[in-house]
Amino acid sequence: MHLYGLIGKKLAHSFSPPYFRKKFRELGIDAQYEVFELDDISQFPELIAKHNNLKGLNVTIPYKKEVIRFIDNPDETSGAAGAVNTISIDRSTGKPVLYGFNTDVIGFEKALKPLIGNRNVDQALILGTGGAAQSVAFVLEKINIPYRFVSRTKQQPDFNYHDLTKEVIGHTHLIINTTPLGMFPKVDEFPDIPYESLTKEHVIFDLIYNPTETLFLKKARQQGALTSNGLKMLEIQADEAWKIWQRYASE
Ligand code: NAP
C-alpha cells in the first residue's frame, strides 16, 4: 500500500491528514496518510529510508526552506522560491529520488488575484521571512507588485517592525501575514503594526486559516480593509499537491 504524509514540527491540528484520507476514501484509493513530526530536519533522510512505500510528502512549518537540501530535483518554481512544500518520491530505480514542488505559490496566486481584482496595488509588505514568505514574494514578483519583507531580526535588507510607521502602513495597500502570530492555539497574538493607519483602500491577507479570523484580520476589518484568511490558498495548494502525486504515480 502506498504511503503519503506530512512532515513538520507540531502537527496535532493539521488540515492535510483528514483532507487526504477523505480524498483516498472517496476515490477508492488504497493508500495511507500519516503525520511525521520531526524535531529536526536532520531526521528527514532516516524517514525516507525507513518507509520504503512512502510516495509523497507535504511539508509544513518550519521545514519548507530547510528540506530543499535533501531534494534531488526541485522544479523551477520551488527552486526559484527557495521553498518546497510537496515532495514526490520515485523508487523505480531502487534508490529513492526526490522531486520537489511548491504548490503554495499557485495557491497564493489563485487566492490573491480575485481578491485584488481591479484595485491598483502599487506596493506590498510581507510580514515574516520563512518558507511561506518566499512563496508569497515569488508571486508578487510574477504579478509585478513591489514588496518589502518585515522581519524581527532584519537579516534581509528590508524592514524591522519598528520601521512600520503610520506613514509606511498608510501608503502600503497590500499587507500579507506569513508569520504564525495568531494561529491556534495562540489566538491572542497579532503582528505589531499600527492598525489605525489601515483604511478601506487596504487589502490584508493572512496565510493562517485557523482560526478563520485572526486578530490581525479582525483589526484590519474593523478599519474597513478588505481581508482574506488562508483557507482558499490551503485548499488550492492541497489539490495541486494531489495532482502532482497522481501525475508521478502514472509515469
Ligand atoms: P516559517 O518558515 O517558520 O516562517 C515563519 C516566519 O515568521 C519566520 O521566518 C519569522 O520571520 C516569522 N516569525 C516566527 N515567529 C514569529 C513571532 N513570534 N513574531 C513575529 N514573527 C515571527 O513558517 P512558514 O512555513 O513560512 O509558515 C508561516 C505561516 O503561514 C504559518 O502560520 C502557516 O500555517 C501559514 N501557511 C499557510 C499556508 C496556506 O496554504 N494557507 C501555506 C503556507 C503557510 P522573522 O524571523 O524574519 O521575523
Side-chain angles (χ1 to χ4, degrees), residues 61-62 64 104 128-133 150-153 161 178-181 183 207-209 230 233-234 237:
I61 189 169
K64 290 179 188 181
D104 285 339
T129 60
V150 185
S151 168
R152 294 163 302 172
T153 53
Y161 288 89
T178 75
T179 79
L181 289 171
M183 187 165 70
L207 264 55
I208 293 171
Y209 51 89
M233 172 180 173
L234 183 76
Q237 69 76 26

Side-chain angles (χ1 to χ4, degrees), residues 9 15 47 59 65 85 100 107 128-131 134 137 148 157 204 216:
K9 201 153 199 168
F15 162 89
L47 175 82
V59 184
K65 285 207 288 197
N85 80 330
T129 60
Q134 305 304 319
R148 311 280 296 266
I204 303 297
F216 172 66

Side-chain angles (χ1 to χ4, degrees), residues 45-97:
E46 194 187 320
L47 175 82
I48 301 295
K50 190 171 155 194
H51 300 278
N52 61 12
N53 59 340
L54 190 56
K55 293 287 289 176
L57 285 167
N58 298 118
V59 184
T60 190
I61 189 169
Y63 297 132
K64 290 179 188 181
K65 285 207 288 197
E66 292 182 50
V67 80
I68 212 161
R69 69 175 191 263
F70 299 108
I71 304 297
D72 301 295
N73 297 301
D75 77 338
E76 203 180 322
T77 304
S78 62
V84 161
N85 80 330
T86 303
I87 299 170
S88 186
I89 305 166
D90 177 7
R91 295 176 187 269
S92 59
T93 60
K95 179 184 172 295
V97 180

